[in-house]
Amino acid sequence: MNSTEFHRMLDKCPIFAAAPAKAAVSLAVNLERRVYQPKTPVYAEGDPGDRMFIIASGQVMLTRTACDREGRLVLGLRGPAEIFGEVDFLDDSPRVTSAVARSELTVLAMNRRRLRSWIRNHPDVGHALLRLLARDQRHSYEKLTHLRCADLPSRLALSLLQRWKLQGTTEQGVCTVDLGLNQKELAQMIGASRDQTNKMLSHFRHRGWIRIEGRTLFILAPEQLTKFATQR
């Protein structure tokens, strides 16, 4: 990660952006930096929640043991400037999810002593963290509502749009985002089978709404996809 990317990450991450830039840089460069290779666990269910992590680069997948105890449920994917492990960390409880590096992953690990000192010196950081938790809670409510009320095509469309809003870019009307998920994992996120997900993606492509190259998603018609997702 070069200097420009590093400062861009600080500007986007709520717990750094809420503090003066010089102080944010000073804290970030002094946090423990960890690098994980793809498919390497960061933590597992039941581990102590003694750190929260800020993603400097790469992606991490959050999973949980399935109800039948034999598989894994994909709960989400997080990327640069996002935080993970914060819930268990803040209430000092064992991990309820597992986190695995999806690509080469660089994180900054923050312990409680660091966080308390950071909030004490910069109270706006505490407010930013509360807003972040509130946003995540709102997304959880929305996801639960979609799982209970929306049909599969709508859930897929909403999931694609949410990935773009969190980690994507827009240029000349085309929205681009690295999905970081294969079709099986994407299907798990929306409660569908792989075949159902593949058919729905083909339907979106046929309508000219999306294009997928590898794991990169191009949303060619975001307004139509949003209308489809919210009016069904």
Side-chain angles (χ1 to χ4, degrees), residues 56-68:
S57 63
Q59 293 180 322
V60 65
M61 181 180 291
L62 304 178
T63 67
R64 191 170 187 181
T65 304
C67 298
D68 59 11

PDB file of all heavy atoms in Angstrom, residues 56-68:
ATOM      1  N   ALA A  56      -6.768  -2.393   5.873  1.00  0.00           N
ATOM      2  CA  ALA A  56      -5.952  -1.460   5.099  1.00  0.00           C
ATOM      3  C   ALA A  56      -6.013  -1.805   3.616  1.00  0.00           C
ATOM      4  O   ALA A  56      -6.090  -0.921   2.758  1.00  0.00           O
ATOM      5  CB  ALA A  56      -4.510  -1.490   5.593  1.00  0.00           C
ATOM      6  N   SER A  57      -5.989  -3.102   3.309  1.00  0.00           N
ATOM      7  CA  SER A  57      -6.100  -3.549   1.922  1.00  0.00           C
ATOM      8  C   SER A  57      -6.571  -4.993   1.915  1.00  0.00           C
ATOM      9  O   SER A  57      -6.371  -5.739   2.877  1.00  0.00           O
ATOM     10  CB  SER A  57      -4.763  -3.420   1.179  1.00  0.00           C
ATOM     11  OG  SER A  57      -3.787  -4.264   1.759  1.00  0.00           O
ATOM     12  N   GLY A  58      -7.213  -5.388   0.810  1.00  0.00           N
ATOM     13  CA  GLY A  58      -7.710  -6.752   0.692  1.00  0.00           C
ATOM     14  C   GLY A  58      -9.147  -6.888   1.155  1.00  0.00           C
ATOM     15  O   GLY A  58      -9.831  -5.888   1.434  1.00  0.00           O
ATOM     16  N   GLN A  59      -9.609  -8.127   1.249  1.00  0.00           N
ATOM     17  CA  GLN A  59     -10.984  -8.407   1.652  1.00  0.00           C
ATOM     18  C   GLN A  59     -11.012  -9.552   2.662  1.00  0.00           C
ATOM     19  O   GLN A  59     -10.169 -10.449   2.632  1.00  0.00           O
ATOM     20  CB  GLN A  59     -11.841  -8.802   0.444  1.00  0.00           C
ATOM     21  CG  GLN A  59     -12.064  -7.685  -0.559  1.00  0.00           C
ATOM     22  CD  GLN A  59     -12.921  -8.129  -1.725  1.00  0.00           C
ATOM     23  OE1 GLN A  59     -12.806  -9.251  -2.199  1.00  0.00           O
ATOM     24  NE2 GLN A  59     -13.786  -7.257  -2.191  1.00  0.00           N
ATOM     25  N   VAL A  60     -12.006  -9.514   3.545  1.00  0.00           N
ATOM     26  CA  VAL A  60     -12.199 -10.569   4.529  1.00  0.00           C
ATOM     27  C   VAL A  60     -13.640 -11.062   4.432  1.00  0.00           C
ATOM     28  O   VAL A  60     -14.561 -10.269   4.237  1.00  0.00           O
ATOM     29  CB  VAL A  60     -11.885 -10.088   5.964  1.00  0.00           C
ATOM     30  CG1 VAL A  60     -12.865  -9.019   6.416  1.00  0.00           C
ATOM     31  CG2 VAL A  60     -11.877 -11.250   6.946  1.00  0.00           C
ATOM     32  N   MET A  61     -13.815 -12.380   4.547  1.00  0.00           N
ATOM     33  CA  MET A  61     -15.150 -12.967   4.520  1.00  0.00           C
ATOM     34  C   MET A  61     -15.547 -13.368   5.934  1.00  0.00           C
ATOM     35  O   MET A  61     -14.761 -13.986   6.657  1.00  0.00           O
ATOM     36  CB  MET A  61     -15.196 -14.195   3.606  1.00  0.00           C
ATOM     37  CG  MET A  61     -16.586 -14.843   3.522  1.00  0.00           C
ATOM     38  SD  MET A  61     -16.589 -16.288   2.450  1.00  0.00           S
ATOM     39  CE  MET A  61     -16.342 -15.495   0.870  1.00  0.00           C
ATOM     40  N   LEU A  62     -16.769 -12.999   6.318  1.00  0.00           N
ATOM     41  CA  LEU A  62     -17.305 -13.353   7.628  1.00  0.00           C
ATOM     42  C   LEU A  62     -18.288 -14.498   7.455  1.00  0.00           C
ATOM     43  O   LEU A  62     -19.213 -14.417   6.635  1.00  0.00           O
ATOM     44  CB  LEU A  62     -17.993 -12.147   8.265  1.00  0.00           C
ATOM     45  CG  LEU A  62     -17.134 -10.888   8.407  1.00  0.00           C
ATOM     46  CD1 LEU A  62     -17.949  -9.748   9.003  1.00  0.00           C
ATOM     47  CD2 LEU A  62     -15.905 -11.161   9.255  1.00  0.00           C
ATOM     48  N   THR A  63     -18.095 -15.581   8.213  1.00  0.00           N
ATOM     49  CA  THR A  63     -18.947 -16.754   8.095  1.00  0.00           C
ATOM     50  C   THR A  63     -19.360 -17.240   9.476  1.00  0.00           C
ATOM     51  O   THR A  63     -18.791 -16.836  10.493  1.00  0.00           O
ATOM     52  CB  THR A  63     -18.229 -17.906   7.361  1.00  0.00           C
ATOM     53  OG1 THR A  63     -17.138 -18.391   8.182  1.00  0.00           O
ATOM     54  CG2 THR A  63     -17.683 -17.457   6.016  1.00  0.00           C
ATOM     55  N   ARG A  64     -20.344 -18.134   9.473  1.00  0.00           N
ATOM     56  CA  ARG A  64     -20.781 -18.750  10.720  1.00  0.00           C
ATOM     57  C   ARG A  64     -21.206 -20.182  10.438  1.00  0.00           C
ATOM     58  O   ARG A  64     -21.658 -20.494   9.336  1.00  0.00           O
ATOM     59  CB  ARG A  64     -21.947 -17.961  11.331  1.00  0.00           C
ATOM     60  CG  ARG A  64     -22.274 -18.398  12.753  1.00  0.00           C
ATOM     61  CD  ARG A  64     -23.250 -17.467  13.419  1.00  0.00           C
ATOM     62  NE  ARG A  64     -23.410 -17.820  14.828  1.00  0.00           N
ATOM     63  CZ  ARG A  64     -24.213 -17.201  15.670  1.00  0.00           C
ATOM     64  NH1 ARG A  64     -24.926 -16.168  15.253  1.00  0.00           N
ATOM     65  NH2 ARG A  64     -24.314 -17.579  16.925  1.00  0.00           N
ATOM     66  N   THR A  65     -21.067 -21.052  11.447  1.00  0.00           N
ATOM     67  CA  THR A  65     -21.455 -22.446  11.277  1.00  0.00           C
ATOM     68  C   THR A  65     -22.935 -22.543  10.935  1.00  0.00           C
ATOM     69  O   THR A  65     -23.774 -21.899  11.564  1.00  0.00           O
ATOM     70  CB  THR A  65     -21.171 -23.238  12.560  1.00  0.00           C
ATOM     71  OG1 THR A  65     -19.795 -23.082  12.907  1.00  0.00           O
ATOM     72  CG2 THR A  65     -21.472 -24.714  12.367  1.00  0.00           C
ATOM     73  N   ALA A  66     -23.262 -23.359   9.924  1.00  0.00           N
ATOM     74  CA  ALA A  66     -24.648 -23.538   9.512  1.00  0.00           C
ATOM     75  C   ALA A  66     -25.429 -24.326  10.558  1.00  0.00           C
ATOM     76  O   ALA A  66     -24.854 -24.960  11.455  1.00  0.00           O
ATOM     77  CB  ALA A  66     -24.696 -24.266   8.168  1.00  0.00           C
ATOM     78  N   CYS A  67     -26.748 -24.292  10.433  1.00  0.00           N
ATOM     79  CA  CYS A  67     -27.615 -24.950  11.414  1.00  0.00           C
ATOM     80  C   CYS A  67     -27.357 -26.443  11.504  1.00  0.00           C
ATOM     81  O   CYS A  67     -27.491 -27.047  12.582  1.00  0.00           O
ATOM     82  CB  CYS A  67     -29.081 -24.708  11.063  1.00  0.00           C
ATOM     83  SG  CYS A  67     -29.560 -22.961  11.087  1.00  0.00           S
ATOM     84  N   ASP A  68     -26.970 -27.070  10.363  1.00  0.00           N
ATOM     85  CA  ASP A  68     -26.720 -28.507  10.387  1.00  0.00           C
ATOM     86  C   ASP A  68     -25.324 -28.851  10.889  1.00  0.00           C
ATOM     87  O   ASP A  68     -24.943 -30.020  10.946  1.00  0.00           O
ATOM     88  CB  ASP A  68     -26.920 -29.116   8.997  1.00  0.00           C
ATOM     89  CG  ASP A  68     -26.001 -28.485   7.942  1.00  0.00           C
ATOM     90  OD1 ASP A  68     -25.072 -27.729   8.313  1.00  0.00           O
ATOM     91  OD2 ASP A  68     -26.218 -28.745   6.747  1.00  0.00           O
TER      92      ASP A  68
END
